[in-house]
Amino acid sequence: MAHQFTVNATIHGVSIDRFAELAQDTSLHEAVCRRIPGENLEILESQITDDIYTLRREYNLDVNIPDVAKKLLKNAFRLKRADVTNLKALTSTVELGANLPLVATGERRVTGDAEKIEIQLNWTVKVKVPLIGGMLEKHAEGEIRKFSMLEIAIVEDELKKHL
């Protein structure tokens, strides 16, 4: 059975209308990507077709292990991420893949008013490792929560640069 959890955040000082307008700018999304901790970022796709924005990228996660181990494991922590966003509805699906037995998907929804935006991410994580999969899913939750909150802080900073 997959593990599910939710990440909620509020960004004050940005209206939902202004956010919807800024979300149309692919360079804003790409700037956020470049600030996420990791190495060897490759943006594979960043395009808007009608009201759908697709952003696919890969990068090596900045994991807390010794440098020698990082060199030996090379791309073992390479994360593949695809975000498909409906720019009208301000909803997204997020898929995370890795060179590990991990499948993580998220459903993101942005709502708000004239003073703030609310971000809700509903995640489902499945680690395909017998016996210890559940424990690894809880660990993955911690990492996904950490990176989600970091990404939201970066989004907030980038949005405020454009206000």
Side-chain angles (χ1 to χ4, degrees):
M1 182 169 187
H3 181 68
Q4 298 181 327
F5 62 96
T6 300
V7 175
N8 292 301
T10 302
I11 297 177
H12 295 277
V14 180
S15 73
I16 191 68
D17 293 336
R18 185 67 175 132
F19 175 79
E21 183 182 314
L22 291 170
Q24 303 279 335
D25 183 358
T26 60
S27 67
L28 178 74
H29 299 276
E30 293 170 15
V32 170
C33 289
R34 287 183 180 87
R35 291 182 55 191
I36 300 292
E39 298 174 348
N40 300 328
L41 171 68
E42 289 181 68
I43 296 177
L44 306 171
E45 181 180 5
S46 178
Q47 77 176 35
I48 296 174
T49 305
D50 298 321
D51 292 329
I52 304 300
Y53 174 55
T54 304
L55 176 59
R56 289 184 323 107
R57 66 230 189 234
E58 293 183 9
Y59 55 95
N60 293 340
L61 286 176
D62 187 14
V63 292
N64 189 15
I65 60 173
D67 287 338
V68 172
K70 282 183 188 178
K71 287 178 184 169
L72 288 172
L73 296 171
K74 200 121 183 155
N75 288 329
F77 298 102
R78 186 118 181 115
L79 182 72
K80 298 170 184 165
R81 178 170 168 169
D83 294 48
V84 178
T85 303
N86 181 318
L87 295 168
K88 287 269 189 238
L90 297 179
T91 58
S92 306
T93 57
V94 181
E95 293 181 11
L96 301 179
N99 293 342
L100 302 168
L102 165 78
V103 176
T105 57
E107 296 293 326
R108 179 175 44 224
R109 184 173 63 197
V110 180
T111 57
D113 57 30
E115 297 175 11
K116 67 184 177 310
I117 59 171
E118 304 277 345
I119 301 168
Q120 181 178 39
L121 283 152
N122 295 313
W123 285 100
T124 301
V125 178
K126 179 71 180 159
V127 177
K128 301 175 204 169
V129 176
L131 302 175
I132 60 169
M135 178 182 70
L136 294 174
E137 288 168 1
K138 290 191 187 301
H139 178 72
E141 174 184 345
E143 290 298 306
I144 290 170
R145 280 185 185 280
K146 178 180 82 174
F147 277 97
S148 293
M149 295 310 292
L150 176 61
E151 182 176 17
I152 289 166
I154 293 168
V155 166
E156 179 175 14
D157 187 54
E158 289 294 329
L159 288 172
K160 290 188 176 177
K161 286 180 184 178
H162 291 83
L163 292 179

